[in-house]
Coordinates of all heavy atoms in Angstrom, one line a residue:
Chain A
R25 N 30.6 -7.8 -13.4 CA 30.5 -6.4 -12.9 C 30.5 -5.5 -14.2 O 31.1 -5.8 -15.1 CB 31.3 -6.0 -11.9 CG 32.8 -5.7 -12.3 CD 33.6 -5.0 -11.2 NE 33.5 -5.8 -10.0 CZ 33.9 -5.4 -8.8 NH1 34.3 -4.1 -8.7 NH2 33.9 -6.2 -7.7
R27 N 31.6 -2.4 -16.6 CA 32.9 -1.8 -16.8 C 32.9 -0.5 -16.2 O 32.0 0.0 -16.0 CB 33.2 -1.9 -18.3 CG 32.9 -3.3 -18.8 CD 33.4 -3.3 -20.2 NE 34.8 -2.9 -20.4 CZ 35.4 -2.8 -21.5 NH1 34.7 -3.0 -22.6 NH2 36.6 -2.4 -21.5
R28 N 34.1 0.0 -16.2 CA 34.3 1.5 -15.7 C 33.5 2.3 -16.5 O 33.4 2.3 -17.8 CB 35.7 1.8 -15.6 CG 36.4 1.9 -14.4 CD 37.8 2.4 -14.4 NE 37.8 3.6 -14.0 CZ 39.0 4.1 -13.4 NH1 40.0 3.3 -13.3 NH2 39.1 5.3 -13.0
T56 N 11.5 -4.1 -1.1 CA 12.5 -3.6 -0.2 C 14.0 -3.5 -0.9 O 14.1 -4.1 -1.9 CB 12.5 -4.7 1.0 OG1 13.0 -5.9 0.5 CG2 11.2 -4.8 1.7
L57 N 14.8 -2.8 -0.3 CA 16.1 -2.7 -0.9 C 16.8 -4.0 -1.0 O 17.3 -4.4 -1.9 CB 17.0 -1.7 0.1 CG 16.7 -0.4 0.3 CD1 17.8 0.4 0.9 CD2 16.5 0.3 -1.2
R58 N 16.6 -4.9 0.1 CA 17.2 -6.2 0.1 C 16.6 -7.0 -1.0 O 17.2 -7.8 -1.7 CB 17.1 -6.8 1.4 CG 18.0 -6.2 2.5 CD 18.0 -6.8 3.8 NE 19.2 -7.5 4.0 CZ 20.1 -7.2 5.0 NH1 19.8 -6.2 5.7 NH2 21.2 -7.9 5.2
A59 N 15.2 -7.0 -1.2 CA 14.6 -7.8 -2.2 C 15.1 -7.4 -3.6 O 15.4 -8.3 -4.4 CB 13.1 -7.6 -2.1
R62 N 18.6 -8.8 -4.0 CA 18.5 -10.1 -4.1 C 18.2 -10.5 -5.6 O 18.7 -11.4 -6.2 CB 17.6 -10.6 -3.2 CG 17.9 -12.0 -2.5 CD 16.9 -12.4 -1.5 NE 16.7 -11.5 -0.4 CZ 15.6 -10.9 -0.1 NH1 14.5 -11.2 -0.5 NH2 15.5 -10.1 1.1
A68 N 23.3 -5.7 -1.0 CA 22.2 -4.7 -0.7 C 22.9 -3.3 -0.6 O 22.3 -2.4 -1.2 CB 21.6 -5.0 0.6
P69 N 24.1 -3.2 -0.1 CA 24.6 -1.8 0.0 C 25.0 -1.3 -1.4 O 25.1 0.0 -1.5 CB 26.0 -2.0 0.7 CG 25.7 -3.2 1.6 CD 24.9 -4.1 0.7
Y72 N 23.0 1.9 -2.7 CA 23.2 3.3 -2.2 C 23.9 4.3 -3.1 O 23.5 5.4 -3.1 CB 23.9 3.3 -0.8 CG 23.0 2.8 0.2 CD1 22.9 1.5 0.6 CD2 22.0 3.7 0.8 CE1 22.1 1.1 1.6 CE2 21.1 3.2 1.8 CZ 21.1 1.9 2.1 OH 20.3 1.5 3.1
P76 N 19.2 7.0 -2.8 CA 19.3 7.3 -1.3 C 18.4 6.3 -0.5 O 18.9 6.1 0.6 CB 18.9 8.8 -1.2 CG 18.1 9.0 -2.3 CD 18.6 8.2 -3.5
D77 N 17.2 6.1 -1.0 CA 16.3 5.2 -0.2 C 15.4 4.6 -1.0 O 15.3 4.8 -2.3 CB 15.7 6.1 0.9 CG 15.1 7.3 0.3 OD1 14.9 7.4 -0.9 OD2 14.9 8.4 1.0
Chain D
dG39 P 14.2 -14.4 6.8 OP1 13.8 -15.3 5.9 OP2 15.6 -14.4 7.3 O5' 13.9 -13.0 6.4 C5' 12.6 -12.5 6.3 C4' 12.7 -10.9 6.2 O4' 13.0 -10.5 7.6 C3' 13.7 -10.5 5.3 O3' 13.1 -9.5 4.5 C2' 14.7 -9.9 6.1 C1' 14.1 -9.6 7.5 N9 14.9 -9.7 8.6 C8 15.8 -10.6 9.0 N7 16.4 -10.6 10.0 C5 16.0 -9.3 10.5 C6 16.1 -8.6 11.7 O6 17.0 -8.9 12.6 N1 15.5 -7.4 11.9 C2 14.6 -7.0 10.9 N2 14.0 -5.8 11.1 N3 14.3 -7.6 9.8 C4 15.0 -8.8 9.7
dC40 P 13.8 -8.6 3.3 OP1 12.8 -8.3 2.4 OP2 15.0 -9.3 3.1 O5' 14.0 -7.2 4.2 C5' 12.8 -6.4 4.7 C4' 13.4 -5.4 5.6 O4' 13.9 -6.0 6.7 C3' 14.4 -4.6 5.0 O3' 13.8 -3.5 4.2 C2' 15.1 -4.0 6.2 C1' 14.8 -5.1 7.4 N1 16.0 -5.7 7.7 C2 16.7 -5.3 8.9 O2 16.4 -4.1 9.4 N3 17.8 -5.8 9.4 C4 18.1 -7.0 8.9 N4 19.3 -7.6 9.3 C5 17.5 -7.6 7.6 C6 16.5 -6.9 7.3
dG41 P 14.7 -2.6 3.3 OP1 13.7 -1.9 2.4 OP2 15.6 -3.5 2.7 O5' 15.4 -1.6 4.3 C5' 14.6 -0.6 4.9 C4' 15.6 0.3 5.8 O4' 16.4 -0.6 6.7 C3' 16.5 1.0 5.0 O3' 16.8 2.4 5.6 C2' 17.9 0.1 5.1 C1' 17.8 -0.5 6.5 N9 18.4 -1.8 6.7 C8 18.4 -2.8 5.8 N7 19.1 -3.8 6.1 C5 19.6 -3.5 7.2 C6 20.6 -4.2 8.1 O6 21.0 -5.3 8.1 N1 20.9 -3.4 9.3 C2 20.5 -2.1 9.4 N2 21.1 -1.4 10.5 N3 19.7 -1.4 8.6 C4 19.2 -2.2 7.7
dT42 P 17.7 3.4 4.9 OP1 17.2 4.7 5.2 OP2 17.8 3.1 3.5 O5' 19.1 3.2 5.7 C5' 19.2 3.1 7.0 C4' 20.6 2.8 7.6 O4' 20.7 1.4 7.4 C3' 21.7 3.5 6.6 O3' 22.4 4.3 7.4 C2' 22.5 2.4 6.1 C1' 22.1 1.2 7.1 N1 22.3 -0.1 6.6 C2 23.0 -1.1 7.3 O2 23.4 -0.9 8.3 N3 23.1 -2.3 6.7 C4 22.5 -2.7 5.6 O4 22.7 -3.9 5.1 C5 21.7 -1.7 4.8 C7 21.2 -2.1 3.5 C6 21.6 -0.5 5.4
dT43 P 23.6 5.2 6.9 OP1 23.5 6.6 7.5 OP2 23.6 5.0 5.4 O5' 24.8 4.4 7.4 C5' 25.1 4.4 8.8 C4' 26.3 3.7 9.2 O4' 26.1 2.3 8.9 C3' 27.4 4.0 8.2 O3' 28.3 5.2 8.5 C2' 28.2 2.6 7.9 C1' 27.3 1.6 8.4 N1 26.9 0.6 7.3 C2 27.3 -0.6 7.6 O2 27.8 -1.0 8.4 N3 26.8 -1.6 6.5 C4 26.2 -1.1 5.4 O4 25.9 -2.1 4.5 C5 25.9 0.2 5.2 C7 25.2 0.7 4.1 C6 26.2 1.1 6.2
dC44 P 29.5 5.1 9.6 OP1 29.0 4.8 10.9 OP2 30.3 6.3 9.3 O5' 30.5 3.9 9.1 C5' 31.0 3.0 10.1 C4' 31.8 1.9 9.6 O4' 31.0 1.0 8.7 C3' 32.9 2.4 8.7 O3' 34.1 2.4 9.4 C2' 33.0 1.4 7.5 C1' 31.7 0.5 7.7 N1 30.9 0.3 6.4 C2 30.8 -1.1 5.9 O2 31.2 -2.0 6.6 N3 30.0 -1.2 4.9 C4 29.5 -0.2 4.2 N4 28.8 -0.3 3.1 C5 29.8 1.1 4.7 C6 30.5 1.3 5.8
dA45 P 35.5 3.1 8.8 OP1 36.2 3.7 9.9 OP2 35.2 3.9 7.6 O5' 36.3 1.8 8.3 C5' 36.2 0.7 9.1 C4' 36.6 -0.5 8.4 O4' 35.7 -0.9 7.4 C3' 37.9 -0.4 7.6 O3' 38.7 -1.5 7.6 C2' 37.4 0.0 6.1 C1' 36.2 -1.0 6.0 N9 35.1 -0.5 5.2 C8 34.8 0.9 4.8 N7 33.9 1.0 3.9 C5 33.6 -0.4 3.6 C6 32.8 -0.9 2.6 N6 31.9 -0.2 1.9 N1 32.8 -2.3 2.5 C2 33.6 -3.0 3.1 N3 34.4 -2.6 4.0 C4 34.5 -1.2 4.2
dT47 P 41.0 -6.2 2.0 OP1 40.0 -6.8 3.0 OP2 42.3 -6.6 1.8 O5' 40.2 -6.2 0.6 C5' 39.3 -7.4 0.4 C4' 38.9 -7.4 -1.1 O4' 38.3 -6.1 -1.3 C3' 40.1 -7.4 -2.1 O3' 39.8 -8.3 -3.2 C2' 40.3 -6.0 -2.6 C1' 38.8 -5.6 -2.5 N1 38.5 -4.1 -2.5 C2 37.5 -3.7 -3.5 O2 37.0 -4.3 -4.2 N3 37.4 -2.4 -3.4 C4 37.9 -1.4 -2.6 O4 37.6 -0.2 -2.5 C5 38.9 -2.0 -1.7 C7 39.6 -1.1 -0.6 C6 39.1 -3.3 -1.7
dG48 P 40.7 -9.5 -3.5 OP1 40.2 -10.7 -2.9 OP2 42.1 -9.1 -3.4 O5' 40.5 -9.5 -5.1 C5' 39.2 -9.3 -5.8 C4' 39.2 -8.3 -6.9 O4' 39.1 -7.0 -6.2 C3' 40.5 -8.4 -7.6 O3' 40.1 -8.2 -9.0 C2' 41.2 -7.0 -7.2 C1' 40.0 -6.2 -7.0 N9 40.1 -4.9 -6.4 C8 40.9 -4.6 -5.3 N7 40.9 -3.3 -5.0 C5 39.9 -2.7 -5.8 C6 39.4 -1.4 -5.9 O6 39.8 -0.4 -5.3 N1 38.6 -1.4 -7.1 C2 38.2 -2.4 -7.8 N2 37.3 -2.1 -8.7 N3 38.6 -3.6 -7.7 C4 39.4 -3.7 -6.8
dA49 P 40.7 -9.3 -10.0 OP1 40.0 -10.6 -9.8 OP2 42.1 -9.1 -10.0 O5' 40.2 -8.7 -11.5 C5' 38.7 -8.4 -11.6 C4' 38.6 -6.9 -12.1 O4' 38.9 -6.0 -11.2 C3' 39.4 -6.6 -13.4 O3' 38.4 -6.2 -14.3 C2' 40.2 -5.5 -12.9 C1' 39.6 -4.9 -11.7 N9 40.3 -4.2 -10.8 C8 41.3 -4.7 -10.0 N7 41.7 -3.8 -9.2 C5 41.2 -2.6 -9.6 C6 41.4 -1.3 -9.0 N6 42.2 -1.0 -8.1 N1 40.6 -0.4 -9.6 C2 39.8 -0.6 -10.6 N3 39.5 -1.9 -11.1 C4 40.3 -2.9 -10.5
dT50 P 38.7 -5.9 -15.8 OP1 37.5 -6.3 -16.7 OP2 40.0 -6.5 -16.0 O5' 38.9 -4.3 -15.8 C5' 37.9 -3.4 -15.4 C4' 38.2 -2.0 -15.7 O4' 39.1 -1.6 -14.5 C3' 39.1 -1.8 -17.0 O3' 38.8 -0.5 -17.4 C2' 40.6 -1.7 -16.3 C1' 40.3 -1.0 -15.1 N1 41.3 -1.1 -14.0 C2 41.6 -0.1 -13.3 O2 41.1 1.1 -13.4 N3 42.7 -0.1 -12.3 C4 43.3 -1.3 -12.1 O4 44.2 -1.5 -11.3 C5 43.0 -2.4 -12.9 C7 43.7 -3.7 -12.8 C6 42.0 -2.3 -13.9
dG51 P 38.5 -0.4 -19.0 OP1 37.0 -0.4 -19.1 OP2 39.4 -1.3 -19.6 O5' 39.0 1.1 -19.3 C5' 38.5 2.2 -18.6 C4' 39.7 3.0 -17.9 O4' 40.5 2.2 -17.2 C3' 40.5 3.8 -18.9 O3' 40.2 5.1 -18.8 C2' 42.0 3.3 -18.6 C1' 41.8 2.8 -17.2 N9 42.7 2.0 -16.5 C8 42.9 0.7 -16.8 N7 43.9 0.1 -16.3 C5 44.4 1.1 -15.3 C6 45.3 1.1 -14.4 O6 46.1 0.0 -14.1 N1 45.5 2.3 -13.8 C2 44.7 3.4 -14.1 N2 44.9 4.4 -13.4 N3 43.7 3.5 -14.9 C4 43.6 2.1 -15.7
dT52 P 40.8 6.2 -19.8 OP1 39.8 7.2 -19.8 OP2 41.2 5.6 -21.0 O5' 42.1 6.7 -18.9 C5' 41.9 7.2 -17.6 C4' 43.2 7.7 -17.2 O4' 44.0 6.6 -16.7 C3' 44.1 8.4 -18.0 O3' 44.7 9.5 -17.4 C2' 45.2 7.3 -18.5 C1' 45.4 6.6 -17.2 N1 45.9 5.2 -17.2 C2 46.9 5.0 -16.3 O2 47.2 5.7 -15.4 N3 47.3 3.7 -16.4 C4 46.9 2.6 -17.3 O4 47.4 1.6 -17.3 C5 45.9 3.2 -18.3 C7 45.4 2.3 -19.3 C6 45.4 4.4 -18.2

Side-chain angles (χ1 to χ4, degrees):
Chain A
R25 76 169 53 192
R27 309 189 53 187
R28 253 182 106 150
T56 63
L57 291 193
R58 288 185 111 110
R62 219 178 293 131
Y72 286 96
D77 50 21

